[in-house]
Amino acid sequence: MLSERRLEVLRAIVQDYVGTEEPVGSKALTERHQLGVSPATVRNDMAVLEDEGFIAQPHTSAGRIPTDKGYRLFVDKLAGVKPLSSPERRAIQNFLDGAVDLDDVVGRTVRLLAQLTRQVAVVQYPSLTRSTVRHVELLSLAPARLMLVLITDTGRVEQRMIDCPAPFGEASLADLRARLNSRVVGRRFADVPQLVRELPESFDSEDRGTVSTVLSTLLETLVEETEERLMIGGTSNLTRFGHDFPVMIRPVLEALEEQVVLLKLLGEATDSAMTVRIGHENAHEGLTSTSVVAVGYGSGDEAVAKLGVVGPTRMDYPGTMGAVRAVARYVGQILAES
Amino acid sequence: MLSERRLEVLRAIVQDYVGTEEPVGSKALTERHQLGVSPATVRNDMAVLEDEGFIAQPHTSAGRIPTDKGYRLFVDKLAGVKPLSSPERRAIQNFLDGAVDLDDVVGRTVRLLAQLTRQVAVVQYPSLTRSTVRHVELLSLAPARLMLVLITDTGRVEQRMIDCPAPFGEASLADLRARLNSRVVGRRFADVPQLVRELPESFDSEDRGTVSTVLSTLLETLVEETEERLMIGGTSNLTRFGHDFPVMIRPVLEALEEQVVLLKLLGEATDSAMTVRIGHENAHEGLTSTSVVAVGYGSGDEAVAKLGVVGPTRMDYPGTMGAVRAVARYVGQILAES
DNA sequence: ACTGGCACTCGGACGCACCGAGTGCCAACA
DNA sequence: TGTTGGCACTCGGTGCGTCCGAGTGCCAGT
């Protein structure tokens, strides 16, 4: 039931407010946009928009600012995704291409995203369970000491020390390594538990204990929620927030330091499409005045992890979404190549 | 030459200022410390301390605050290192003991240190070049694709993808792996370059190119300055700084995001003893109103990396130094055990 | 349905006076 | 010589009253 023009007014308010960070009034609006109507008309429209809950007045005699609901409408109906300029695209590619290993890829991605959006960037490492096994290595470091190394197709490498219940011969080790790999290489980590279930039974009783220990360590490593890692960056961009600092950024910094919170935040994003969570849509209360733009990325069609940015609700949604989408694509490519 | 009592006055000023965050006057000083003299006398002493540059007045009619020089004297002569309480010690041990791999150790250490000192914590990963080789693994992922995995005695694991100039047989691979390990295991990474120099010459000409490629990748991984990694945490503690926020923490957050800056900062610390850099003693200009307390840690007697905290010059030096030292010791133990 | 006009609101900026913590100096004292 | 109490002075912070103007809601007119 909002007329076309009213939507136009809302769009104008969002754009102006994002630009100036100040409440926008009817007069300023008509001056800066070609709405074809007078300030009085705009005032009427604003009154309606306010009734509907899309905008609000911080003070009786001030201009309007968008509410979370207003931003939501803006993102859903009024804004596109702004594609990056081609120099930007080239810069991304150059920057990511130099990466030498997965840590490097993730680190560069975080910095890139933070710089591009001028906001806080969050990048999740490719999930183990959603990746496929490239190789499982077992190294003997001491007679009863093994190191387990898992390598995914996305380049992620996890290692665990294992203390064996009994010494484990070099022959048994080679045997276990070979059998393990023949079963799991190329499979998804999520399927590994089933694939190795009866493996211990085929070993001599003296080795069985060690094999079980190895396998249980392997399975522990794959527990979802635990195996997730992430990297954040660009926190200094928080200082651009508002002038009412401390109270604003303290909870955000605190939330960002809790991996659990961040993982949940990213987890809420749908796998495929880009997800935008605005203000109070975020469950965590430290983040009620921030928005999260996140999207999955992967080496193939399936997402192996997510990345995104956290910024004030008053952000440039089209631009941010464009940057996030573009970076996710390039990272996917890089991973596929490695 | 400052008399004993003047030093006592300085100590009192530092302690009070650190506690209250407010300039301290002569009256308040005599009330809160048993100096045995009247405010008037303290005023005279303060005038001298100010002449000597140890304290300063923010405004003509305000109390005094310590200068960097004042803190320096305090740290060098007046303050000890406050040992942790035994519950604290136990908490540290419990917290660190659950770590499952090196990333986990470093991550927990950062959180621990941040929580203990209520400041920003920085922990460097054990340097490759200063560690010894536990194992070098070469995996064949595709006919002309290898993965190189380096494992240190501190638990650090680095991996690199290698595209070979020519296919590399399984036999040659096993050969190279064996020869490589027999030369370098147990040696310091810093010595590896010499130890592998003439290795390619002992291979068939068809494999020589690949071997060289592997070795040069290995050496690249060991380049100092590049191989250093670190983790930071506790940035939300910055919000406790002062009330003149934005201007204060912006440059600090920016500095913290530049690994180079941080590495240089830690690098300036002496290896063995604890180093305290106060305010302008830090070269980086974003950090001129912060202090850095850092110390080396290692699995043996030798430091393999450094850790420390960054906080306002107005910090609790004895407590901070105590926490940093204690954490460094425990981390060293943990690494030695793994 | 839109527009111009008008009275009203209220937050922010400005000016001013006051208060009090803190200082420096000095004369007196041990 | 070092310490002390007394005293005049400084100056940042706070509270208060005023003023200004952007912005609003409403209404009558087109």
Side-chain angles (χ1 to χ4, degrees):
Chain A
M1 306 49 354
L2 291 174
S3 73
E4 193 54 37
R5 195 192 58 224
R6 299 224 169 102
L7 291 176
E8 203 52 47
V9 169
L10 175 58
R11 164 188 278 142
I13 291 173
V14 172
Q15 286 172 349
D16 273 24
Y17 183 60
V18 166
T20 65
E21 311 204 358
E22 270 170 19
V24 11
S26 53
K27 183 128 166 282
L29 252 201
T30 53
E31 281 165 5
R32 301 177 33 160
H33 298 79
Q34 283 70 39
L35 294 170
V37 291
S38 76
T41 309
V42 171
R43 279 204 290 281
N44 290 329
D45 291 346
M46 282 173 150
V48 175
L49 286 168
E50 184 163 10
D51 275 349
E52 305 281 336
F54 295 110
I55 56 179
Q57 292 184 79
H59 312 293
T60 316
S61 72
R64 307 304 218 290
I65 62 175
T67 60
D68 289 352
K69 191 178 169 192
Y71 286 120
R72 168 54 57 204
L73 184 60
F74 176 79
V75 168
D76 288 345
K77 299 278 168 56
L78 305 174
V81 175
K82 195 166 87 198
L84 299 192
S85 67
S86 62
E88 280 174 318
R89 297 178 165 278
R90 245 176 294 127
I92 293 179
Q93 194 131 31
N94 287 339
F95 191 61
L96 289 184
D97 269 351
V100 65
D101 64 3
L102 182 64
D103 278 320
D104 204 12
V105 171
V106 174
R108 282 167 187 250
T109 305
V110 156
R111 269 173 290 163
L112 183 64
L113 202 50
Q115 205 174 324
L116 232 39
T117 60
R118 305 204 46 180
Q119 277 155 18
V120 180
V122 183
V123 179
Q124 196 177 1
Y125 277 72
S127 141
L128 278 186
T129 39
R130 298 201 230 169
S131 311
T132 61
V133 182
R134 181 178 270 168
H135 190 85
V136 177
E137 185 60 30
L138 276 171
L139 301 173
S140 175
L141 300 177
R145 201 93 195 281
L146 296 179
M147 173 175 267
L148 172 69
V149 182
L150 306 181
I151 303 173
T152 76
D153 59 334
T154 48
R156 184 162 164 190
V157 177
E158 288 289 312
Q159 87 280 3
R160 289 288 182 285
M161 299 299 309
I162 302 175
D163 285 310
C164 311
F168 199 58
E170 193 58 49
S172 307
L173 185 65
D175 189 22
L176 174 56
R177 182 181 335 173
R179 289 207 227 172
L180 207 45
N181 275 290
S182 74
R183 295 194 183 212
V184 301
V185 167
R187 303 308 204 82
R188 300 177 71 248
F189 271 98
D191 300 330
V192 166
Q194 298 180 39
L195 295 168
V196 301
R197 187 161 298 153
E198 357 61 57
L199 207 49
E201 296 159 21
S202 57
F203 280 81
D204 289 348
S205 63
E206 55 177 328
D207 286 341
R208 211 167 287 160
T210 296
V211 172
S212 297
T213 307
V214 169
L215 292 186
S216 67
T217 305
L218 170 58
L219 299 193
E220 272 168 28
T221 313
L222 298 180
V223 175
E224 277 201 276
E225 308 281 310
T226 312
E227 55 104 345
E228 309 277 17
R229 297 189 52 203
L230 42 78
M231 193 177 276
I232 79 172
T235 47
S236 65
N237 290 320
L238 285 178
T239 54
R240 300 183 308 117
F241 246 44
H243 309 290
D244 46 352
F245 263 60
V247 92
M248 213 63 162
I249 79 169
R250 159 74 114 319
V252 180
L253 274 175
E254 277 169 2
L256 291 176
E257 285 184 3
E258 299 237 26
Q259 305 247 337
V260 192
V261 173
L262 278 180
L263 286 172
K264 207 186 294 176
L265 216 58
L266 290 179
E268 284 169 356
T270 54
D271 254 24
S272 50
M274 180 145 33
T275 303
V276 181
R277 299 230 149 217
I278 297 167
H280 293 81
E281 296 170 9
N282 291 305
H284 191 78
E285 69 171 319
L287 299 173
T288 47
S289 52
T290 62
S291 287
V292 178
V293 177
V295 68
Y297 69 89
S299 50
D301 358 317
E302 224 177 333
V304 292
K306 288 164 188 165
L307 57 78
V309 306
V310 178
T313 50
R314 171 226 312 130
M315 69 162 69
D316 168 20
Y317 290 94
T320 303
M321 292 165 77
V324 169
R325 192 174 65 185
V327 169
R329 278 195 194 143
Y330 282 108
V331 176
Q333 281 180 24
I334 299 280
L335 288 184
E337 288 167 15
S338 64
Chain B
M1 290 320 30
L2 294 173
S3 73
E4 193 54 37
R5 196 192 58 224
R6 299 228 168 98
L7 291 176
E8 204 50 49
V9 169
L10 176 58
R11 163 188 278 142
I13 291 173
V14 171
Q15 286 172 349
D16 273 24
Y17 183 60
V18 165
T20 65
E21 310 206 358
E22 270 171 18
V24 10
S26 52
K27 182 127 165 284
L29 252 201
T30 53
E31 281 166 6
R32 301 175 36 158
H33 298 80
Q34 282 69 39
L35 294 171
V37 291
S38 75
T41 309
V42 171
R43 280 205 289 281
N44 290 330
D45 290 345
M46 282 174 149
V48 175
L49 287 168
E50 184 163 11
D51 275 349
E52 304 281 338
F54 294 110
I55 57 179
Q57 293 186 77
H59 312 295
T60 316
S61 72
R64 307 304 218 289
I65 61 174
T67 59
D68 289 353
K69 192 178 169 192
Y71 285 120
R72 169 51 60 201
L73 183 60
F74 176 80
V75 169
D76 289 345
K77 300 275 168 55
L78 306 175
V81 176
K82 193 166 88 200
L84 298 192
S85 68
S86 63
E88 280 175 318
R89 297 180 165 277
R90 244 176 296 127
I92 293 179
Q93 195 131 30
N94 287 339
F95 191 60
L96 289 183
D97 268 352
V100 63
D101 64 3
L102 182 63
D103 278 319
D104 205 12
V105 171
V106 174
R108 281 167 187 250
T109 305
V110 156
R111 267 173 293 163
L112 183 63
L113 202 50
Q115 204 176 323
L116 233 39
T117 61
R118 304 204 47 177
Q119 278 157 16
V120 179
V122 183
V123 179
Q124 197 177 359
Y125 276 73
S127 142
L128 278 187
T129 40
R130 297 201 229 170
S131 310
T132 61
V133 182
R134 181 178 271 168
H135 189 84
V136 177
E137 184 61 29
L138 276 170
L139 300 173
S140 177
L141 300 177
R145 202 93 195 281
L146 297 178
M147 173 174 267
L148 173 69
V149 182
L150 306 180
I151 303 172
T152 76
D153 59 334
T154 48
R156 184 162 164 191
V157 176
E158 288 290 310
Q159 87 279 4
R160 289 288 183 283
M161 300 298 311
I162 302 176
D163 284 309
C164 312
F168 198 60
E170 194 57 49
S172 307
L173 185 65
D175 190 21
L176 174 57
R177 180 178 359 195
R179 289 209 226 171
L180 206 47
N181 275 290
S182 73
R183 293 194 184 212
V184 301
V185 166
R187 304 306 205 83
R188 300 177 71 249
F189 271 98
D191 300 329
V192 166
Q194 298 178 40
L195 296 168
V196 302
R197 189 162 295 151
E198 356 63 54
L199 206 50
E201 293 159 22
S202 58
F203 279 81
D204 290 347
S205 63
E206 54 177 330
D207 286 342
R208 210 169 287 160
T210 295
V211 172
S212 298
T213 307
V214 169
L215 292 185
S216 66
T217 304
L218 172 57
L219 299 192
E220 273 167 29
T221 313
L222 299 179
V223 176
E224 278 201 276
E225 309 282 309
T226 312
E227 55 106 342
E228 308 277 17
R229 298 189 52 202
L230 41 78
M231 194 176 277
I232 78 172
T235 47
S236 66
N237 290 320
L238 285 178
T239 54
R240 300 183 309 115
F241 246 44
H243 308 289
D244 45 352
F245 261 59
V247 91
M248 214 63 162
I249 78 168
R250 161 73 118 312
V252 180
L253 274 174
E254 279 169 1
L256 290 176
E257 284 185 3
E258 300 238 23
Q259 305 246 336
V260 193
V261 173
L262 278 181
L263 287 172
K264 206 186 293 176
L265 217 58
L266 290 180
E268 284 170 357
T270 54
D271 255 22
S272 50
M274 181 146 34
T275 304
V276 181
R277 300 227 149 220
I278 297 166
H280 293 82
E281 296 170 8
N282 292 305
H284 190 78
E285 68 171 321
L287 299 174
T288 48
S289 51
T290 63
S291 289
V292 178
V293 177
V295 68
Y297 71 90
S299 50
D301 358 318
E302 224 178 334
V304 292
K306 289 165 188 162
L307 58 77
V309 307
V310 179
T313 50
R314 174 222 315 127
M315 71 163 67
D316 167 21
Y317 290 95
T320 304
M321 292 165 77
V324 169
R325 193 174 66 184
V327 170
R329 277 192 195 145
Y330 283 108
V331 175
Q333 281 178 25
I334 299 280
L335 289 184
E337 287 166 17
S338 65

